[in-house]
Amino acid sequence: MSSYPSSVQLLDLFNWASPGMLVTDASGAVVLANKAATELLGNGAAVGTQLAGVLGIDDHDALRTAGAPVENREVAFAHPDFASGYANLGFGEVNGTTHGFWALRPITTHPTPSPTAGEGSSTAQAWIRQVDQSNESYLPVGEEAVELIRAYYDHCPVAIHLIEEDGTVAHANWKDIAIVGASEQPDSYVGHHIRRIYADQDVVEDFLGRWGEDAPIIDFRADFLNKGARVPVVIFSTAKVEDNKLRNTRCFVFPDSHPDRKRDKVKALDLNF
């Protein structure tokens, strides 16, 4: 297991991630939800709510008993413009009690970055505006949540990595390390440039040009490399930028629910679409 990001990084990662992130107790009741989750689910993300029912999942108890990671489960959301998407769910113990760790990604009509991003209420641009907009009803979590966020990092079956200004992978969780085939030697990936794990270099070069501009990459289909083999993925990535300087990215990478679909395209280093 790789070392954790700092507490400050973990709190930023959780509060302002582009996918919905939630933690539930053994019964399936919400104990922690981030801003994106509250946008997707409204009151369905409130503490104490039975999350599986909100998402239309009727076999939560069986999933918890099995204990195996769940990927790309089709679910329903309360948001009128982002009414459907996918859930990834893992289980693990915190202080001897089983918890569920959820990652939710909405379906969008056009990804970002894209030369044909389009306008409309259901695009990736519209989603990230929703996540970033001010909402007084959302109170960012603080230090008391760090233990649960570390457990999320350890148990949720979504790849998470934080990249520094120079493109170095500073931190990666177990799923991220596995998806690029580095489980046996994590140091062959963590601490090295992110460029080496992308199958298409024009895509990663475009991404590198965006991070310093705080430009999001949302619902974008690309291919990673795992020991030379292409791995279709869906990327949700934003950047923490302070004083016009990239501090780190917040990258979430999902195994593609539709691996046979065409990979999304970028117009390299054009930040104007």
Side-chain angles (χ1 to χ4, degrees):
M1 195 70 63
S2 63
S3 63
Y4 295 111
S6 70
S7 294
V8 170
Q9 288 174 317
L10 285 171
L11 291 172
D12 173 77
L13 180 79
F14 183 86
N15 282 309
W16 311 120
S18 49
M21 299 171 69
L22 303 101
V23 180
T24 54
D25 64 16
S27 74
V30 174
V31 297
L32 204 64
N34 73 345
K35 173 66 159 51
T38 65
E39 296 293 342
L40 279 177
L41 304 177
N43 292 335
V47 172
T49 303
Q50 291 293 321
L51 181 59
V54 170
L55 296 174
I57 294 175
D58 59 7
D59 58 347
H60 173 265
D61 290 347
L63 295 174
R64 184 191 62 214
T65 299
V70 178
E71 295 182 337
N72 290 327
R73 179 72 176 262
E74 293 186 18
V75 292
F77 302 135
H79 197 291
D81 296 323
F82 302 96
S84 62
Y86 298 91
N88 285 22
L89 168 62
F91 297 94
E93 288 194 357
V94 180
N95 295 326
T97 302
T98 298
H99 286 69
F101 303 92
W102 304 72
L104 310 179
R105 64 177 175 96
I107 294 171
T108 71
T109 55
H110 296 83
T112 64
S114 169
T116 56
E119 293 295 330
S121 59
S122 300
T123 65
Q125 288 283 17
W127 171 243
I128 199 61
R129 283 197 298 268
Q130 190 84 33
V131 173
D132 288 345
Q133 73 178 1
S134 177
N135 186 339
E136 293 182 0
S137 67
Y138 179 71
L139 182 64
V141 302
E143 286 288 333
E144 74 285 350
V146 168
E147 183 178 24
L148 284 175
I149 300 171
R150 284 177 176 165
Y152 186 102
Y153 190 83
D154 284 345
H155 297 294
C156 188
V158 60
I160 302 172
H161 58 250
L162 281 68
I163 301 170
E164 296 178 333
E165 182 183 23
D166 64 358
T168 298
V169 180
H171 299 280
N173 76 336
W174 67 276
K175 180 64 174 178
D176 195 62
I177 290 169
I179 208 168
V180 299
S183 296
E184 295 177 359
Q185 292 183 299
D187 290 347
S188 67
Y189 168 54
V190 180
H192 297 275
H193 201 283
I194 191 66
R195 185 182 288 114
R196 65 172 62 186
I197 62 97
Y198 275 86
D200 299 302
Q201 289 302 298
D202 60 329
V203 170
V204 69
E205 294 302 330
D206 183 272
F207 290 178
L208 291 169
R210 290 168 189 279
W211 284 329
E213 302 290 333
D214 198 15
I217 300 161
I218 304 295
D219 200 27
F220 188 91
R221 285 183 156 82
D223 283 344
F224 277 3
L225 288 173
N226 182 323
K227 299 177 181 177
R230 285 179 175 258
V231 180
V233 297
V234 180
I235 300 170
F236 279 68
S237 176
T238 54
K240 181 180 182 181
V241 175
E242 295 177 344
D243 300 324
N244 297 316
K245 180 179 176 63
L246 174 70
R247 299 303 177 184
N248 58 257
T249 65
R250 316 175 191 99
C251 297
F252 294 76
V253 180
F254 298 83
D256 196 345
S257 51
H258 296 82
D260 294 332
R261 287 187 180 174
K262 287 185 178 179
R263 303 297 87 190
D264 289 319
K265 300 295 184 182
V266 298
K267 186 177 180 183
L269 303 179
D270 179 356
L271 302 176
N272 296 316
F273 53 80

